[in-house]
Each structure stands twice: as structure tokens, then as C-alpha cells.
Amino acid sequence: MMNKDEAVKRLSKVGKISVSYAEDLYDSIIPKPVVPQCVAKWYEGNKLNLDLNLCSLVFDLAMDSMECYREEFKVWVNDNKKTFITTLVNMHQFGYEVEKEKRYTVKLKNKSGYEDYLVDTNSEGLRFYNNLYTQNRTHTRKELESNGFGWVFDCPGVEVKEVE
């Protein structure tokens, strides 16, 4: 079986078209799997010996000994027991895209005057600041939770909005 690069080269040669056009054509015909970041990370660390590493993964899953895997990846494998092997193989053959995580703005409610948004100050971490800080206002759920701000999703005094 050919991988994507081989198929694109062959399509370009046989169709007498440019490589970039062959890539576009290939991508329109064969969709790439869309996976969470943790799956992409596992794949990138295991793609050179994918066949052996898939066997190890299946063995570890069967023996219920997945403690050496990252928690998010274990959850994904368990949630996708019927399709995870196909997805990982398809990633190898066709390439893949990483799911975009939802991003949020977090604002204090009932503030008169300047609104206070949760911003990443870089030097001082996440803090509520008024409109003086207009950058670094969007955060993923994981970023919020890992910085001790997971509570904002359940707090009535805070407005959390999903942004694109």
C-alpha cells in the first residue's frame, strides 16, 4: 500500500499535473483523520516503528497495563476501542489534522466601567485585568484548568464565552 507522498508523486506523474495540484486533489478525495492533540503526539513519537508500536499498544490494552501512557491518550483509546487502530493506520497512510480546541474568553460580571478579562500576562500568569490588556484573552479549557481557573465554568459571577 502506498503512503500519501508516494500516491501524490504517482498522481502527479500519471496525470501530468503539478505536485501541489496532485496534493490538493488527493486531499479532496481522501479525507485526513482529525484527532486530538494527545493522539497526534503519540503518533509522532511512534510512527517510525508503527507496526511494532501498535502491537505493543494492543497488548498493553489487552493486559490492562496502560499505565505508561498519558491519561488523555488512554481515555481516547478506551473511547475508541473499535476504531483506534484504523485511525492510527489512516493517520500513517493519509496524514492527519489535529482537532482545534475550543477557546474561551473569561470576564467578570457586574463590573461598572472597564471590564475585567482573564488574560495571560506571560510574566505573572493568568490574572484578571481591565481593557488595558487586549492580547492573550482566549484560553482553552485545559489551560484554564491547569492554571487553577477551572472553577470559572461554574461561577455565576463570571461570564465564559466560546470564541472562534
Side-chain angles (χ1 to χ4, degrees), residues 36 61 71-84:
L61 183 62
E71 192 60 35
E72 289 175 298
F73 183 70
K74 289 191 291 189
V75 169
W76 180 83
V77 168
N78 282 315
D79 289 348
N80 295 279
K81 282 186 179 175
K82 293 182 179 182
T83 61
F84 78 91

Side-chain angles (χ1 to χ4, degrees), residues 81-99:
K81 282 186 179 175
K82 293 182 179 182
T83 61
F84 78 91
I85 293 173
T86 303
T87 301
L88 293 168
V89 170
N90 285 347
M91 289 171 68
H92 197 65
Q93 291 179 320
F94 310 128
Y96 64 93
E97 293 180 13
V98 177
E99 285 178 348

Side-chain angles (χ1 to χ4, degrees), residues 17-62:
I17 56 177
S18 71
V19 172
S20 63
Y21 184 65
E23 284 177 342
D24 290 344
L25 189 57
Y26 182 92
D27 288 342
S28 70
I29 296 169
I30 301 178
K32 297 176 187 176
V34 179
V35 296
Q37 179 64 47
C38 63
V39 177
K41 190 170 187 169
W42 183 91
Y43 172 76
E44 289 300 325
N46 292 279
K47 68 182 178 183
L48 294 179
N49 292 314
L50 187 63
D51 52 350
L52 178 63
N53 293 325
L54 273 175
C55 290
S56 296
L57 176 60
V58 170
F59 179 80
D60 290 345
L61 183 62

Side-chain angles (χ1 to χ4, degrees), residues 10 14 22 24 32-33 35 59 64 77 79 86 88 95 103 106 110 118 123 127-128 132 139 141 144 146 149 159:
R10 190 167 189 190
V14 171
D24 290 344
K32 297 176 187 176
V35 296
F59 179 80
D64 199 23
V77 168
D79 289 348
T86 303
L88 293 168
R103 298 194 70 78
V106 179
N110 300 326
L118 186 65
S123 61
R127 298 183 71 167
F128 283 99
L132 296 174
H139 317 280
R141 180 180 281 270
L144 290 168
S146 67
F149 284 91
E159 178 183 298

